[in-house]
Amino acid sequence: MATVKLSIQDKKDLDKFTKFLALKAAQIIVQSRLGEKVQTKCKPHSSGTDWFNLAIRDLPEVLAEAKRALCGEVVTARLPLCVEISLRTVEGDTMMLETWCLGVLPEQCDPSVRVTYTVYNRMGILLKSLVSVTRVTPAYKLSRLQGPDSYVICYRIYMGEPQLHNLGEGYNQVRVGQLCTPVGTLHLSVSYRTKLTISPQSTCRDNSIMLKSDHFHPDLSPRHLRYQQSEDNSASLSDTIKVGAFADSCRQPQSPLEPDLEMPNVPFSSLLTPRQQSPPQPSEPSVATGGGTETDDDGNGNVTPHCDSRRSSCSVVSGHEDFIMVDLKTPFAGGNTNSELGAFYLECQSAPQLKTFSEQPTLAEQVGDITKTLEAFETSMQEYDEMLNSLCLSDNNN
Amino acid sequence: MFPSKSVANPDLEVTSSRRTVEGRQVDEAVASIFHTVLFHRSLGKFKYKQEGSYSVGTVGYEDVDCDFIDFTYVCCSSDNLDRNLKREISEFSEALRGNDGPGSGQISLEFFQKKKNRWPFQPECIPWEVWTVRLELIKLNNEHERQKCREKVGDMLTEKILYIAEVMNRHEYVPKMPNQSELDLIFDTSYPDVQPYLFKVR
């Protein structure tokens, strides 16, 4: 063997650096998809959390999720690490947008490279490239336009080979960068969807289909996979939403949030619940709405996510729930005509009830009525027979 | 528009057909490329302790949305660095877009190191990496064309950012870390928050 034996200290350092490379990469990717502009300050003195001399904020929820996926110290042996970004519409349709993958090629190693200096600095450059590249894939623009009324961006972090079959036809793969270490070449790449049209055929109603289709994949077994998914903070994301044609444009800005709280505190908290240890279960619709309710409750004081998208612009919701009457402010029209039309429509919509239905007799009365009617019919039987006979006779005559 | 990179020897410079942008997109297109390069080529501030040991500060970064291009890029969080770069770029842009402007041109971001010379001569500047952006101006007739151009230039810049990342991760030549006394020969130490390798725009 020509390879120089790595000192124990170097090996320990390398593992530590790789672990933090993976943790910081996950932070960069997820933070770039929150729909907000990122800004971190330069610091004259690096502190303990400022790895690679790059000011990357640590979101506790993302950190917990990434650590859970990494699960232990010896990261290099367990790579690849994947961060999957997907989109979920208010209707519950899901579309996987991209998968970022940090992997290692053990066969391409450079035993001569200095771990503490060269590898560490190159990891810093790789993360800078990641910061730059996360802004140019199609999912970035989508994430900036997300909102509780349209769609939210979700993420999940897992170990194992990237699952790319949900990226649709003709997905692109781009290399972000790589660096040689004494134990192999670390490489970071992204595969992203190029066909962004959402259609019922190409999407799954929920994640259950996506995950079950790969039921026997070893990486999806409970032992290997730590599955979690969360909504982003819809409250802090709504600043950039485009307002729809009939949507209420004077929606309250989400000002109550303090600048320091702009990170998704509440939505990501669902990551910390104990069910994370469970295998990839079909995500229940209630989980999704539950997340939304939490968010709304936090930001807007609303309770149900459905009302959130329709609030205040809907003046009447009919009994059938599927029809919403929008109180249109018609230009140039007098206020009265508008309300008259509305009143007329309302009358049609909710016509007065028939007396028959409002004055329902009791069961005893009804039974009594039936007996009486039957008796009346029996007594008049002779009459009916005669009428029938007369009809038959008249038929014969014709 | 094409950023090409050359290392010291001009023969290595990659050339390509010129790319087109609209006048008001010039500043943003150039800034997005140069800022991305500088983000990769800037370190935290060095703070020297005794006996040659030093600590390195942390580089902050921020997202910048372009006004005239559908594009967001990342730069170092340093107002001074941004101001200096923007000033250089806008001088180029004004010359290019002026009434008697040539309609096409190029601007380079050159990293260099200084070599001390014998008194009274100035130190010698040796370039070690040059990024060149070539631009050709086009005229757009209507809003539809303008919208198309916003997207097209954004797509073009995407390719360039990926190219920059690729080059940066080849880990080609960068000057060796200097001693404290020679720090100014390698780095621009005039910024209070970041420490880019010595560079000039021309």
Side-chain angles (χ1 to χ4, degrees):
Chain A
M1 288 279 281
T3 51
V4 183
K5 194 122 170 76
L6 205 58
S7 78
I8 295 169
Q9 186 56 44
D10 275 352
K11 193 160 169 28
K12 226 172 126 182
D13 283 347
L14 186 59
D15 250 329
K16 198 172 172 187
F17 296 168
T18 311
K19 179 187 165 187
F20 279 96
L21 175 74
L23 290 177
K24 291 293 184 182
Q27 290 284 354
I28 289 170
I29 295 161
V30 176
Q31 286 175 36
S32 71
R33 299 296 178 255
L34 296 180
E36 307 158 329
K37 281 161 86 171
V38 172
Q39 185 177 20
T40 59
K41 284 202 173 76
C42 294
K43 290 183 217 167
H45 298 284
S46 296
S47 66
T49 54
D50 295 326
W51 276 84
F52 310 108
N53 305 105
L54 195 55
I56 305 159
R57 227 175 276 154
D58 275 326
L59 298 186
E61 298 85 353
V62 181
L63 184 65
E65 193 53 30
K67 275 186 174 169
R68 196 169 293 114
L70 289 175
C71 185
E73 287 298 312
V74 191
V75 174
T76 323
R78 301 191 64 246
L79 293 176
L81 170 89
C82 298
V83 181
E84 182 185 291
I85 301 293
S86 57
L87 171 154
R88 193 169 70 221
T89 65
V90 275
E91 289 86 20
D93 288 319
T94 313
M95 179 161 72
M96 196 169 125
L97 297 175
E98 56 187 15
T99 300
W100 300 81
C101 178
L102 175 68
V104 63
L105 296 168
E107 58 273 20
Q108 294 174 17
C109 59
D110 181 359
S112 63
V113 71
R114 283 165 65 196
V115 173
T116 40
Y117 178 75
T118 312
V119 168
Y120 186 83
N121 283 342
R122 287 180 177 180
M123 283 179 170
I125 289 183
L126 181 59
L127 289 177
K128 283 176 176 172
S129 296
L130 178 63
V131 171
S132 300
V133 173
T134 46
R135 273 65 180 174
V136 302
T137 61
Y140 181 75
K141 277 179 198 154
L142 283 172
S143 73
R144 289 289 296 273
L145 296 171
Q146 70 186 305
D149 295 357
S150 48
Y151 57 84
V152 290
I153 302 292
C154 307
Y155 76 95
R156 97 182 157 108
I157 303 171
Y158 59 90
M159 301 300 285
E161 289 303 316
Q163 296 151 26
L164 305 175
H165 54 276
N166 281 315
L167 286 173
E169 282 171 32
Y171 66 84
N172 262 3
Q173 192 156 29
V174 168
R175 174 70 66 96
V176 178
Q178 69 284 313
L179 65 118
C180 259
T181 76
V183 300
T185 297
L186 287 167
H187 60 92
L188 184 54
S189 62
V190 57
S191 305
Y192 61 90
R193 176 183 286 273
T194 52
K195 290 188 177 131
L196 289 165
T197 331
I198 199 159
S199 67
Q201 288 80 28
S202 66
T203 58
C204 313
R205 281 304 294 182
D206 60 37
N207 292 325
S208 58
I209 303 165
M210 205 151 59
L211 294 165
K212 275 198 167 169
S213 68
D214 216 354
H215 197 74
F216 299 102
H217 196 283
D219 289 330
L220 284 170
S221 80
R223 247 163 24 97
H224 287 80
L225 195 81
R226 299 287 177 271
Y227 170 82
Q228 208 39 255
Q229 196 163 24
S230 170
E231 281 201 354
D232 289 338
N233 188 350
S234 49
S236 61
L237 307 171
S238 53
D239 293 346
T240 49
I241 307 167
K242 279 185 180 164
V243 180
F246 292 100
D248 182 16
S249 57
C250 7
R251 239 155 42 87
Q252 293 289 318
Q254 310 295 334
S255 48
L257 285 172
E258 291 170 41
D260 286 343
L261 297 176
E262 64 191 0
M263 287 309 164
N265 280 334
V266 175
F268 283 118
S269 66
S270 60
L271 296 172
L272 303 169
T273 55
R275 74 194 159 81
Q276 283 147 356
Q277 293 303 320
S278 64
Q281 288 293 324
S283 63
E284 297 288 324
S286 60
V287 176
T289 46
T293 310
E294 264 182 57
T295 310
D296 292 340
D297 207 23
D298 177 52
N300 312 323
N302 280 344
V303 182
T304 55
H306 267 281
C307 282
D308 186 47
S309 58
R310 295 170 177 178
R311 83 191 134 177
S312 73
S313 65
C314 338
S315 51
V316 176
V317 178
S318 81
H320 296 292
E321 288 288 354
D322 56 353
F323 193 90
I324 308 148
M325 201 189 116
V326 183
D327 201 0
L328 285 173
K329 298 277 178 288
T330 328
F332 310 115
N336 285 343
T337 36
N338 199 19
S339 57
E340 273 169 25
L341 178 66
F344 170 72
Y345 193 86
L346 271 181
E347 267 180 41
C348 296
Q349 190 67 15
S350 52
Q353 219 173 18
L354 287 172
K355 279 191 176 172
T356 332
F357 297 112
S358 56
E359 295 164 9
Q360 287 281 355
T362 63
L363 188 64
E365 281 170 348
Q366 283 183 56
V367 173
D369 279 351
I370 291 170
T371 352
K372 270 182 202 163
T373 319
L374 281 174
E375 276 170 16
F377 286 158
E378 271 177 34
T379 48
S380 325
M381 213 136 82
Q382 189 69 31
E383 258 177 71
Y384 298 145
D385 284 343
E386 279 169 16
M387 190 183 76
L388 265 178
N389 282 334
S390 67
L391 283 174
C392 291
L393 283 172
S394 56
D395 267 355
N396 287 345
N397 288 345
N398 291 332
Chain B
M1 180 185 53
F2 188 80
S4 57
K5 190 210 151 201
S6 62
V7 182
N9 179 357
D11 288 340
L12 290 175
E13 191 170 315
V14 187
T15 52
S16 161
S17 59
R18 285 172 174 165
R19 304 297 168 96
T20 50
V21 293
E22 203 196 4
R24 54 186 186 170
Q25 295 172 329
V26 170
D27 294 67
E28 288 181 337
V30 177
S32 61
I33 290 168
F34 284 3
H35 261 309
T36 303
V37 172
L38 272 170
F39 176 49
H40 283 82
R41 290 279 180 247
S42 295
L43 307 183
K45 288 288 277 185
F46 284 17
K47 284 268 187 299
Y48 281 90
K49 300 163 192 169
Q50 38 196 295
E51 297 296 321
S53 76
Y54 61 92
S55 69
V56 182
T58 297
V59 178
Y61 60 90
E62 59 189 64
D63 291 325
V64 182
D65 289 339
C66 295
D67 291 327
F68 303 114
I69 309 170
D70 287 343
F71 199 70
T72 301
Y73 63 90
V74 178
C75 68
C76 297
S77 301
S78 169
D79 290 341
N80 289 358
L81 182 64
D82 183 52
R83 204 175 306 128
N84 285 350
L85 193 64
K86 291 265 173 70
R87 194 188 53 238
E88 303 264 15
I89 294 171
S90 81
E91 276 172 25
F92 162 76
S93 168
E94 276 164 27
L96 184 71
R97 297 166 63 187
N99 283 335
D100 49 355
S104 69
Q106 68 175 52
I107 180 169
S108 294
L109 174 64
E110 182 182 296
F111 291 97
F112 63 96
Q113 62 191 99
K114 286 181 188 167
K115 198 176 159 193
K116 273 182 188 156
N117 236 331
R118 225 183 263 174
W119 189 86
F121 299 105
Q122 288 291 310
E124 195 186 344
C125 294
I126 306 161
W128 53 270
E129 187 175 88
V130 183
W131 296 84
T132 305
V133 178
R134 296 169 217 283
L135 295 155
E136 189 167 295
L137 293 184
I138 49 161
K139 266 221 158 77
L140 297 173
N141 299 317
N142 55 49
E143 228 14 76
H144 176 70
E145 283 183 14
R146 198 155 283 137
Q147 186 55 38
K148 280 253 176 252
C149 191
R150 280 179 72 97
E151 292 166 18
K152 213 181 78 189
V153 176
D155 291 344
M156 227 149 69
L157 288 173
T158 294
E159 280 173 41
K160 300 314 158 200
I161 301 299
L162 295 176
Y163 175 67
I164 292 168
E166 186 195 319
V167 171
M168 291 297 177
N169 284 275
R170 283 184 206 151
H171 309 295
E172 288 166 344
Y173 177 82
V174 287
K176 276 189 182 145
M177 282 301 147
N179 301 324
Q180 183 173 6
S181 60
E182 293 178 334
L183 190 69
D184 290 327
L185 301 180
I186 304 293
F187 291 104
D188 188 338
T189 54
S190 64
Y191 297 99
D193 32 25
V194 286
Q195 188 174 291
Y197 283 98
L198 281 170
F199 70 93
K200 54 187 157 197
V201 176
R202 44 153 130 229

